[in-house]
């Protein structure tokens, strides 16, 4: 396990995210960073993404959403790629998990994920912290 995963969980436990602005925060330069973002969930996200060089930890500061998840090998088609940003988009079948305030999900390079989807009980304002950890 990458030691920065443990460091990220310590940051989640010890940080008052309400005191931070929506922005990018470098911990170890580009290799270990997090950003905070706020948005309204959307009805669907039919382009799951995956990363080859980074682990994502997505921590819900407030609100709730669903995230589509699947093994990358189950994706049926690559539809877009931006290697400079380490992101590839796909089509394919997904399962869904619900995440709410205080919860997090970890995505490794073999995990396709489609965040920002409205919870079955309706859309939500979400504030999220996403850690990017180079492997």
């Amino acid at each position: 396990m990458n030691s920065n995963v443990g460091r990220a969980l310590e940051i989640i436990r010890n940080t008052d995210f309400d005191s931070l602005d929506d922005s990018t925060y470098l911990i170890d330069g580009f290799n270990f960073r997090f950003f905070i973002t706020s948005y309204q969930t959307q009805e669907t996200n039919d382009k799951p993404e995956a990363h080859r060089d980074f682990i994502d930890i997505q921590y819900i500061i407030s609100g709730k959403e669903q995230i589509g998840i699947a093994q990358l090998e189950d994706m049926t088609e690559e539809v877009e790629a931006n290697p400079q940003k380490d992101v590839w988009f796909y089509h394919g079948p997904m399962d869904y998990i619900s995440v709410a305030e205080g919860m997090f999900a970890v995505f490794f390079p073999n995990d396709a994920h489609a965040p920002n989807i409205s919870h079955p009980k309706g859309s939500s304002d979400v504030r999220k912290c996403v850690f990017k950890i180079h492997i």
Side-chain angles (χ1 to χ4, degrees):
M1 179 70 66
N2 185 306
S3 64
N4 284 331
V5 171
R7 287 178 64 196
L9 297 178
E10 287 179 25
I11 292 168
I12 289 171
R13 181 180 58 219
N14 297 321
T15 301
D16 175 11
F17 289 101
D18 292 334
S19 69
L20 299 177
D21 293 328
D22 286 12
S23 187
T24 299
Y25 298 86
L26 303 178
I27 300 166
D28 183 17
F30 189 72
N31 290 324
F32 182 35
R33 66 192 188 281
F34 68 87
F35 62 89
I36 299 174
T37 184
S38 299
Y39 54 87
Q40 179 84 32
T41 57
Q42 55 194 14
E43 192 75 20
T44 186
N45 179 351
D46 62 357
K47 279 177 42 179
E49 64 187 63
H51 313 288
R52 295 184 181 167
D53 297 325
F54 286 86
I55 298 167
D56 269 12
I57 299 177
Q58 298 190 11
Y59 170 68
I60 305 297
I61 299 167
S62 63
K64 59 185 172 185
E65 71 179 32
Q66 285 196 103
I67 300 175
I69 59 170
Q71 290 295 304
L72 191 55
E73 64 192 29
D74 294 336
M75 293 291 98
T76 58
E77 172 187 21
E78 182 181 302
V79 294
E80 185 180 339
N82 189 336
Q84 291 174 327
K85 292 188 175 185
D86 188 47
V87 65
W88 284 258
F89 295 95
Y90 298 89
H91 284 149
M94 292 182 289
D95 294 314
Y96 296 88
I97 59 171
S98 294
V99 289
E101 184 174 327
M103 299 174 73
F104 65 89
V106 181
F107 303 104
F108 292 91
N110 61 330
D111 300 320
H113 53 285
N116 310 357
I117 301 171
S118 295
H119 194 269
K121 294 183 179 178
S123 68
S124 176
D125 292 320
V126 170
R127 189 158 192 251
K128 180 192 283 186
C129 176
V130 178
F131 287 85
K132 300 297 237 175
I133 301 168
H134 190 263
I135 53 170

